[in-house]
Amino acid sequence: MDEVKVVVAHSERATLRVGDVFLKVDADRARIDAEVEAMAVVPVPTPKVLWHKPPVLAIAALPGTALGRLGEPSTASPAAWAAAGAAVRRLHDAPLPPRPGQAGRRLDELAADLDGECEWLVTNGVLPAGLVARNRRVAEAALRPWTPVFTHGDLQIDHVFVDGNEITGIIDWSEAGQGDALYDLATLTLGHEEHLGDVVAGYGTGVDLDVIRAWWSLRSLSNVRWLLEHGFDPFAPGCEIDVLRSRS
């Protein structure tokens, strides 16, 4: 009998693996629905949906391995990173979906939330005020008008699977929708700045590196509290706090 492996679990959602099947349980039905809808139309490889009965989604495992992990060196080749960039370009060139995604939040809402998170980090002594202020200034470059594209919305490095230099699939589409293209590219390369050039080479034109760096700061500042409250460690080597320190 296959063992049940907990891939990730917190108060909002959980993912279990049983053999070659992943079971995703989400308290928010809309996220599961968005994931199924996105995987049905995106022009990039995705896992096969085995069945869908909210709040549970069953998908097949992808061949290959993750492009990497946050906080760990990636063993994937530069060509694999470039292939990831090319896949993201195909996604961004696809027809727009009907709904906004995580990468498509309004600028005023995003700025207000960012200011609140910065205040929380300093008030609670989580990070030095100077470090927060410097990264808040860097993050400002991300708060600008952008043309909406079809975005993944949570394109973390371990959501992209490769076999050699080929992309075998992209997982976790629950935050997909209209959004800022550079948000996706920044999420993919967070903590792996050394591979940004490879990704951009595969992606092509239209990449403002200063905005990507701004998204690294913005995403890291905004996520620290959530990570701490849900049992994750943003202080682990190579993770969000180190990303913030690298901007100073």
Side-chain angles (χ1 to χ4, degrees), residues 13-74:
R13 68 188 79 169
T15 301
L16 310 176
R17 179 169 186 168
V18 185
D20 289 330
V21 177
F22 286 88
L23 299 175
K24 302 188 68 174
V25 185
D26 200 314
D28 184 347
R29 175 171 179 167
R31 280 195 296 248
I32 289 285
D33 290 343
E35 181 158 9
V36 173
E37 291 171 13
M39 288 193 294
V41 298
V42 292
V44 296
T46 63
K48 179 181 179 180
V49 175
L50 302 176
W51 50 267
H52 172 215
K53 187 176 181 181
V56 183
L57 171 65
I59 59 176
L62 288 169
T65 58
L67 189 61
R69 306 283 180 189
L70 183 62
E72 301 176 8
S74 171

Side-chain angles (χ1 to χ4, degrees), residues 41-214:
V41 298
V42 292
V44 296
T46 63
K48 179 181 179 180
V49 175
L50 302 176
W51 50 267
H52 172 215
K53 187 176 181 181
V56 183
L57 171 65
I59 59 176
L62 288 169
T65 58
L67 189 61
R69 306 283 180 189
L70 183 62
E72 301 176 8
S74 171
T75 59
S77 68
W81 281 88
V88 178
R89 169 64 84 175
R90 291 196 300 275
L91 172 64
H92 291 172
D93 286 343
L96 283 175
R99 70 178 82 193
Q102 178 65 22
R105 299 175 62 199
R106 297 196 325 268
L107 295 182
D108 58 344
E109 176 188 357
L110 194 62
D113 286 352
L114 174 61
D115 287 340
E117 293 304 313
C118 289
E119 181 180 358
W120 182 88
L121 290 169
V122 174
T123 300
N124 290 276
V126 178
L127 291 175
L131 179 63
V132 172
R134 286 194 297 274
N135 277 274
R136 178 61 181 83
R137 288 193 294 270
V138 172
E140 190 69 28
L143 302 175
R144 86 287 175 222
W146 40 266
T147 301
V149 300
F150 197 141
T151 52
H152 181 280
D154 191 24
L155 197 62
Q156 299 179 53
I157 185 176
D158 55 355
H159 291 168
V160 180
F161 279 70
V162 297
D163 186 1
N165 297 331
E166 301 292 327
I167 302 299
T168 60
I170 299 175
I171 65 172
D172 284 0
W173 292 85
S174 61
E175 308 291 352
Q178 297 183 26
D180 178 4
L182 298 187
Y183 180 97
D184 272 353
L185 294 177
T187 304
L188 178 63
T189 54
L190 181 76
H192 288 272
E193 186 170 1
E194 71 277 10
H195 292 293
L196 177 58
D198 300 321
V199 170
V200 171
Y203 186 83
T205 59
V207 179
D208 187 326
L209 298 183
D210 287 338
V211 173
I212 287 183
R213 295 184 179 103

